[in-house]
Amino acid sequence: MSGVKLERIVKRFDSQVVVAGVSLEVKSGELFTLLGPSGCGKTTLLRMLAGFYRQEEGNIYFGDRLINDLPAHQRNTGMVFQNYAVFPHLSVFENVAYGLRARKVPEKELRQQVLKALETVKLGPYAERQPAQLSGGQQQRVALARALVIQPQLLLMDEPLSNLDAKLRVEMRLEIRRLQREYGITTIYVTHDQEEALAISDRIAVMNQGVVEQVGAPREIYFRPRTAFVADFIGTTNFLPGETLGRPAGCTVAVRPESLSLAPGEVNLTGTLTEVTFLGNNTVIALRVGAESHVVVRLPNTAVTPDVGAAVTVSFPKAAATVFGPGGEVQE
């Protein structure tokens, strides 16, 4: 497998710039996620890698090979789409065999590879079934097997779990991670789901309005966001005016709900408890601090929760806070 390099990629649709000078490097064998809201350019970037779109500016490399002008069918990429894209008139076996038949793989070898791929995605007994006889999760496994069986240089996945229910999404993301590690294939994964990205990725690129705001490992992205957008988009974050915490006006201090506690600490805030929400594995409380600030605190269920309307003091360690300047850039 080889890595991927993007140099100053620009893509426009008419006069609208959708991808604005993106540069990225994806390591060989890495599961790299493009994460961001709808319209941020992540799927467009993926389609340029696949060869479905041509960039107006910049270069794309697979390993050391410049592939700007290489047509899609010669790029040796496997693609898994949001809507499964399985062929309804073909059996599960023939769906998975499709790419191998296009490559004129001999029948005996083809059969061995297809059956092995189906066993790998736990669909061995379903080879002769039609897609209409499968659940959504099983159809997505077929699509995954079809992409993997051709042993692509690069696996591209575009929102592959968004049509599944919540429990199945968790199961399938674990399965995708297992298969990606087993095959050791370089994978670029597109999603708008922050939890999914944090759970599945080696590294994440957070995109916003056609640019990359930050690249890093999941823990780095979550605990050390480089911009206010990243802090706000990834998980839940409290944003407090700087002057509330003794900082100059114009600064914003970001603190994760789980970093706050009811015990006294380095930085203390006192407010009125406005809401208590039990979530099974934890309890979330909300405070009104001052005239405009609202603070969300995530507590373990062993904590004693005050009553709504009570005056409550919460605290957090200074190390848990991230300070952003007026332009939304992190201040060390």
Side-chain angles (χ1 to χ4, degrees):
M1 303 304 165
S2 61
V4 175
K5 184 177 181 181
L6 306 176
E7 289 182 338
R8 302 178 300 279
I9 300 297
V10 175
K11 178 63 183 173
R12 302 181 186 90
F13 291 116
D14 299 323
S15 60
Q16 183 183 3
V17 178
V18 180
V19 177
V22 166
S23 295
L24 289 170
E25 287 196 43
V26 180
K27 301 171 188 175
S28 177
E30 183 174 39
L31 198 161
F32 189 95
T33 295
L34 302 173
L35 172 66
S38 297
C40 72
K42 57 190 186 296
T43 293
T44 299
L45 206 56
L46 197 76
R47 289 177 174 269
M48 285 189 282
L49 287 165
F52 301 156
Y53 295 156
R54 177 66 159 82
Q55 69 271 22
E56 274 74 44
E57 299 176 29
N59 298 313
I60 301 176
Y61 295 88
F62 287 0
D64 296 327
R65 186 185 185 191
L66 180 67
I67 55 97
N68 287 356
D69 299 316
L70 198 66
H73 68 278
Q74 293 181 12
R75 293 194 181 193
N76 192 22
T77 60
M79 189 131 187
V80 180
F81 297 93
Q82 174 180 344
N83 62 353
Y84 320 141
V86 296
F87 303 118
H89 61 291
L90 297 180
S91 68
V92 168
F93 183 96
E94 288 301 328
N95 262 279
V96 177
Y98 184 84
L100 296 177
R101 292 200 187 283
R103 288 163 171 78
K104 300 187 176 0
V105 174
E107 192 65 27
K108 183 178 179 181
E109 182 183 347
L110 177 147
R111 184 167 184 81
Q112 289 175 343
Q113 291 186 27
V114 170
L115 292 178
K116 180 182 176 183
L118 287 174
E119 287 295 333
T120 301
V121 299
K122 302 176 183 176
L123 285 178
Y126 297 82
E128 300 309 317
R129 292 198 185 183
Q130 298 300 119
Q133 297 173 293
L134 304 180
S135 68
Q138 289 169 333
Q139 289 187 50
Q140 195 59 292
R141 287 173 190 267
V142 173
L144 189 54
R146 185 177 60 193
L148 291 170
V149 77
I150 62 171
Q151 300 178 31
Q153 184 176 6
L154 178 65
L155 180 61
L156 304 172
M157 309 191 79
D158 187 11
E159 302 271 11
L161 308 183
S162 60
N163 286 341
L164 305 179
D165 63 54
K167 184 178 180 182
L168 192 52
R169 279 202 304 271
V170 173
E171 293 176 3
M172 279 300 299
R173 77 189 187 201
L174 293 173
E175 188 71 5
I176 287 170
R177 189 53 166 146
R178 178 185 70 82
L179 291 168
Q180 189 270 335
R181 284 176 171 157
E182 182 177 319
Y183 279 77
I185 187 169
T186 307
T187 301
I188 299 179
Y189 189 102
V190 161
T191 184
H192 65 274
D193 187 314
Q194 304 94 322
E195 182 179 301
E196 190 175 297
L198 292 171
I200 206 171
S201 311
D202 291 312
R203 287 191 302 147
I204 300 168
V206 183
M207 294 187 66
N208 180 34
Q209 296 182 340
V211 302
V212 174
E213 297 254 346
Q214 185 174 352
V215 178
R219 290 185 66 83
E220 179 186 353
I221 293 286
Y222 186 83
F223 288 112
R224 287 291 173 259
R226 303 300 300 173
T227 69
F229 172 83
V230 174
D232 189 36
F233 187 75
I234 305 292
T236 303
T237 304
N238 294 298
F239 289 99
L240 301 166
E243 59 266 29
T244 301
L245 302 174
R247 292 266 180 174
C251 287
T252 301
V253 178
V255 187
R256 297 288 185 188
E258 61 270 26
S259 296
L260 291 137
S261 72
L262 294 175
E266 284 187 284
V267 182
N268 296 285
L269 298 168
T270 299
T272 303
L273 184 63
T274 59
E275 191 173 348
V276 177
T277 305
F278 175 71
L279 295 177
N281 58 350
N282 56 61
T283 297
V284 174
I285 65 172
L287 310 177
R288 185 176 65 250
V289 179
E292 298 181 358
S293 296
H294 294 268
V295 177
V296 175
V297 184
R298 186 172 290 118
L299 301 171
N301 284 330
T302 53
V304 177
T305 307
D307 295 328
V308 171
V312 175
T313 297
V314 296
S315 70
F316 61 90
K318 291 179 181 178
T322 304
V323 180
F324 298 102
E329 300 281 331
V330 70
Q331 293 188 338
E332 302 296 347

